[in-house]
Amino acid sequence: MADKETVIGSDTRISGEVRGEEDLVVRGRIDGKIQLTQTLTVEKGATVQADLDVGHLVVLGAVVGTIVASESVKLMSTARVVGDLASPRLTMEAGAAYRGRVDMGDIAAARAAASSRAVQRPAVSEKPAIRPAPPRMATLAKAIVATKASAPVAPAAARSTVTPSASVPAPASPPAFPRVAGAMGAMTPAWAKKKIRRR
Amino acid sequence: MAKEKDTKPMANTVIGSSIVIDGEITAEESLTILGTVKGKISVAQNLAVEAGATVEADVEAQTVTVNGRLTGNVVARERLELKPEAKMVGDAKSPRIVIADGAGFKGNVDMDV
């Protein structure tokens, strides 16, 4: 249909919403939202920080955001992707870095969930720095090690910073699993807490 | 890196005819629009709004070539050209302005004289 494919050049940046019914190749940067019926290709060196609703997705660069692909997703060896992913077909090459949840089941449900989530949160307010995805286990292990070292101190210390006068209930009701509670409360950022709790 | 690209006559960024962009585009290279763009466009080199394209945006570029529909204020640092099929509504600011026979234009012209 399209006589020319759409190319976002390497020195071009788009912030906002991109919609279309043709192939889109990104060599530069897009922040916001992309809705495409055909193939989205994120080239090496390109950055896409957007919620994606596409037909096919091929990633050689960096993608941060929720991904819904109605046909397929290919993460090539240079790909770095962070975000939940829903697609009936998924290919991942050796070397690809990915963090998030994969759903190869009901795409319609995933799309509905993604769009409702997109409404709730601000589109591009926060900009997580793109870095090689740290293994989740490492974060967890670090937190556990740290808590082991300071397990008895951590809950009381945390409480005393909030309300210094709350020394009465402190010894009365320690949490059922003080180590875990300490790890979650003190060491782990909010997003990781959510992930850990799901397990 | 950018100098290599200058030698290429082709635009580096192309917005295809079925594409709709709502937001801001910043390009340190040339940009060709065949689809629809709403918002704001800032281009370091040439901006081409091809026939069939619709642009509702404030535009800033080195040279602007319009053969489609453009609504918004245009600042072309070097040259603004309206081709025969162009329909433009908005203020135009550029040291050189070319309007071809057949082109439609409504708005103020500022050539810095």
Side-chain angles (χ1 to χ4, degrees), chain A residues 60-99:
Chain A
L60 296 95
V63 174
V64 178
T66 304
I67 297 164
V68 178
S70 55
E71 303 287 337
S72 74
V73 172
K74 274 187 192 167
L75 305 185
M76 302 313 216
S77 61
T78 52
R80 287 146 88 200
V81 178
V82 177
D84 293 350
L85 191 160
S87 172
R89 284 189 291 152
L90 170 63
T91 318
M92 212 182 286
E93 274 190 355
Y98 173 68
R99 191 175 75 214

Coordinates of all heavy atoms in Angstrom, one line a residue, chain A residues 60-99:
Chain A
L60 N 16.6 -4.2 17.3 CA 18.1 -4.3 17.3 C 18.7 -3.2 18.3 O 19.9 -3.3 18.6 CB 18.7 -4.1 15.9 CG 18.3 -5.1 14.9 CD1 17.1 -4.7 14.0 CD2 19.5 -5.4 14.0
G61 N 17.8 -2.3 18.7 CA 18.3 -1.2 19.5 C 17.7 -1.3 20.9 O 17.5 -2.4 21.4
A62 N 17.3 -0.2 21.5 CA 16.8 -0.2 22.8 C 15.3 0.2 22.9 O 14.9 1.1 22.2 CB 17.5 0.8 23.7
V63 N 14.5 -0.6 23.6 CA 13.1 -0.3 23.8 C 12.7 -0.3 25.2 O 13.1 -1.3 26.0 CB 12.2 -1.3 23.0 CG1 10.7 -1.1 23.3 CG2 12.5 -1.3 21.5
V64 N 12.1 0.7 25.7 CA 11.5 0.7 27.1 C 10.1 1.0 27.0 O 9.7 2.1 26.5 CB 12.2 1.8 27.9 CG1 11.6 1.9 29.3 CG2 13.7 1.6 28.0
G65 N 9.2 0.1 27.5 CA 7.8 0.4 27.5 C 7.0 -1.0 27.3 O 7.6 -2.0 27.1
T66 N 5.8 -0.9 27.4 CA 4.9 -2.0 27.3 C 4.7 -2.4 25.8 O 4.4 -1.5 25.0 CB 3.5 -1.8 27.9 OG1 3.8 -1.4 29.3 CG2 2.7 -3.0 27.9
I67 N 4.9 -3.7 25.5 CA 4.9 -4.1 24.1 C 3.8 -5.0 23.9 O 3.6 -6.0 24.6 CB 6.2 -4.8 23.7 CG1 7.4 -3.8 23.9 CG2 6.2 -5.3 22.3 CD1 8.8 -4.5 23.9
V68 N 2.9 -4.7 22.9 CA 1.9 -5.6 22.5 C 2.0 -5.8 21.0 O 1.9 -4.8 20.2 CB 0.5 -5.1 22.8 CG1 -0.6 -6.0 22.2 CG2 0.3 -4.9 24.3
A69 N 2.3 -7.0 20.5 CA 2.5 -7.2 19.1 C 1.5 -8.3 18.7 O 1.5 -9.4 19.3 CB 3.9 -7.7 18.8
S70 N 0.6 -8.0 17.7 CA -0.4 -8.9 17.4 C 0.1 -10.1 16.6 O -0.5 -11.2 16.5 CB -1.5 -8.2 16.6 OG -1.0 -7.6 15.5
E71 N 1.3 -10.0 16.0 CA 1.8 -11.1 15.2 C 3.1 -11.7 15.8 O 3.1 -12.9 16.1 CB 2.2 -10.6 13.7 CG 1.0 -10.0 13.0 CD 0.0 -11.0 12.6 OE1 0.4 -12.2 12.4 OE2 -1.2 -10.6 12.4
S72 N 4.2 -10.9 15.8 CA 5.4 -11.5 16.3 C 6.4 -10.4 16.9 O 6.3 -9.3 16.6 CB 6.1 -12.2 15.2 OG 6.7 -11.3 14.3
V73 N 7.3 -10.9 17.7 CA 8.4 -10.1 18.2 C 9.7 -10.8 18.0 O 9.8 -12.0 18.3 CB 8.2 -9.8 19.7 CG1 9.4 -9.1 20.3 CG2 6.9 -9.0 20.0
K74 N 10.7 -10.0 17.5 CA 12.0 -10.6 17.3 C 13.0 -9.7 18.0 O 13.1 -8.5 17.7 CB 12.4 -10.6 15.8 CG 12.0 -11.8 15.1 CD 12.5 -11.8 13.7 CE 11.9 -12.9 12.9 NZ 12.2 -12.8 11.4
L75 N 13.7 -10.3 19.0 CA 14.7 -9.5 19.7 C 16.1 -10.0 19.2 O 16.5 -11.1 19.5 CB 14.6 -9.7 21.2 CG 13.3 -9.4 21.9 CD1 13.4 -9.5 23.4 CD2 12.8 -8.0 21.5
M76 N 16.8 -9.2 18.4 CA 18.0 -9.6 17.9 C 19.1 -9.5 18.9 O 18.9 -9.0 20.0 CB 18.4 -8.7 16.7 CG 17.3 -8.7 15.6 SD 16.8 -10.4 15.2 CE 16.5 -10.2 13.4
S77 N 20.4 -9.9 18.5 CA 21.4 -10.0 19.5 C 21.8 -8.7 20.2 O 22.3 -8.7 21.3 CB 22.7 -10.6 18.9 OG 23.1 -9.8 17.8
T78 N 21.6 -7.6 19.5 CA 22.0 -6.3 20.0 C 20.8 -5.6 20.8 O 21.0 -4.5 21.3 CB 22.5 -5.3 18.9 OG1 21.4 -5.3 17.9 CG2 23.7 -5.8 18.3
A79 N 19.7 -6.3 20.9 CA 18.5 -5.6 21.5 C 18.6 -5.5 23.0 O 19.2 -6.3 23.7 CB 17.3 -6.5 21.2
R80 N 18.1 -4.4 23.5 CA 18.0 -4.2 24.9 C 16.6 -3.7 25.2 O 16.2 -2.6 24.8 CB 19.0 -3.2 25.4 CG 20.4 -3.7 25.4 CD 21.4 -2.7 25.0 NE 21.8 -2.0 26.2 CZ 22.4 -0.8 26.2 NH1 22.5 -0.1 25.0 NH2 22.8 -0.2 27.3
V81 N 15.8 -4.5 25.9 CA 14.4 -4.3 26.0 C 14.0 -4.4 27.5 O 14.4 -5.3 28.2 CB 13.6 -5.2 25.2 CG1 12.1 -5.0 25.4 CG2 13.9 -5.1 23.7
V82 N 13.3 -3.4 28.0 CA 12.7 -3.4 29.3 C 11.2 -3.1 29.2 O 10.8 -2.1 28.6 CB 13.4 -2.4 30.2 CG1 12.7 -2.4 31.6 CG2 14.8 -2.7 30.4
G83 N 10.4 -4.0 29.7 CA 8.9 -3.8 29.6 C 8.2 -5.1 29.4 O 8.7 -6.1 28.8
D84 N 7.0 -5.2 29.8 CA 6.2 -6.4 29.6 C 5.8 -6.5 28.1 O 5.7 -5.6 27.4 CB 4.9 -6.3 30.5 CG 5.2 -6.3 31.9 OD1 6.3 -6.6 32.3 OD2 4.3 -6.1 32.7
L85 N 5.8 -7.8 27.7 CA 5.7 -8.1 26.3 C 4.6 -9.1 26.1 O 4.5 -10.1 26.8 CB 7.0 -8.7 25.9 CG 7.4 -8.9 24.5 CD1 8.9 -9.0 24.4 CD2 6.8 -10.1 23.9
A86 N 3.7 -8.8 25.1 CA 2.6 -9.7 24.8 C 2.7 -10.0 23.3 O 2.6 -9.0 22.5 CB 1.3 -9.2 25.2
S87 N 2.8 -11.2 22.9 CA 2.9 -11.5 21.5 C 2.7 -13.0 21.3 O 3.2 -13.8 22.1 CB 4.2 -11.1 20.8 OG 4.3 -11.6 19.5
P88 N 2.0 -13.5 20.2 CA 1.8 -14.9 20.0 C 3.1 -15.6 19.7 O 3.3 -16.8 19.9 CB 0.8 -15.0 18.9 CG 0.8 -13.7 18.2 CD 1.2 -12.7 19.3
R89 N 4.0 -14.9 19.0 CA 5.3 -15.5 18.6 C 6.4 -14.6 19.1 O 6.4 -13.4 19.0 CB 5.4 -15.6 17.1 CG 4.6 -16.8 16.6 CD 4.9 -17.1 15.2 NE 4.3 -16.0 14.4 CZ 4.8 -15.7 13.2 NH1 5.9 -16.3 12.7 NH2 4.3 -14.7 12.5
L90 N 7.5 -15.2 19.7 CA 8.6 -14.5 20.2 C 9.9 -15.2 19.9 O 10.0 -16.4 20.1 CB 8.5 -14.3 21.7 CG 9.7 -13.8 22.5 CD1 10.0 -12.3 22.1 CD2 9.4 -13.8 24.0
T91 N 10.8 -14.4 19.3 CA 12.1 -15.0 19.0 C 13.1 -14.1 19.7 O 13.1 -12.9 19.6 CB 12.4 -14.9 17.4 OG1 11.3 -15.3 16.8 CG2 13.6 -15.8 17.1
M92 N 14.1 -14.8 20.4 CA 15.1 -14.0 21.1 C 16.5 -14.6 20.7 O 16.7 -15.8 20.9 CB 14.9 -14.1 22.6 CG 15.3 -12.9 23.3 SD 15.1 -13.0 25.1 CE 13.3 -12.8 25.3
E93 N 17.3 -13.8 20.1 CA 18.7 -14.2 19.8 C 19.6 -14.2 21.0 O 19.3 -13.4 21.9 CB 19.2 -13.3 18.7 CG 18.9 -13.6 17.3 CD 19.7 -12.9 16.3 OE1 20.5 -12.0 16.7 OE2 19.5 -13.1 15.1
A94 N 20.6 -15.0 20.9 CA 21.6 -15.0 22.0 C 22.3 -13.6 22.0 O 22.6 -13.1 21.0 CB 22.7 -16.0 21.7
G95 N 22.4 -13.0 23.2 CA 22.9 -11.7 23.3 C 21.9 -10.7 23.6 O 22.2 -9.6 24.1
A96 N 20.7 -11.0 23.3 CA 19.6 -10.0 23.5 C 19.4 -9.8 25.0 O 19.4 -10.8 25.8 CB 18.3 -10.4 22.9
A97 N 19.2 -8.6 25.5 CA 18.9 -8.3 26.9 C 17.5 -8.0 27.1 O 17.0 -7.1 26.4 CB 19.8 -7.2 27.4
Y98 N 16.8 -8.6 28.0 CA 15.4 -8.3 28.2 C 15.0 -8.4 29.6 O 15.5 -9.4 30.3 CB 14.5 -9.3 27.3 CG 13.1 -9.2 27.6 CD1 12.4 -8.0 27.3 CD2 12.3 -10.2 28.3 CE1 11.0 -7.9 27.5 CE2 11.0 -10.0 28.6 CZ 10.4 -8.9 28.2 OH 9.0 -8.7 28.5
R99 N 14.2 -7.5 30.1 CA 13.6 -7.6 31.4 C 12.2 -7.3 31.4 O 11.8 -6.2 30.9 CB 14.3 -6.7 32.4 CG 14.0 -7.0 33.9 CD 14.8 -6.2 34.8 NE 14.2 -4.8 34.8 CZ 15.0 -3.7 35.0 NH1 16.3 -3.9 35.2 NH2 14.5 -2.6 35.0

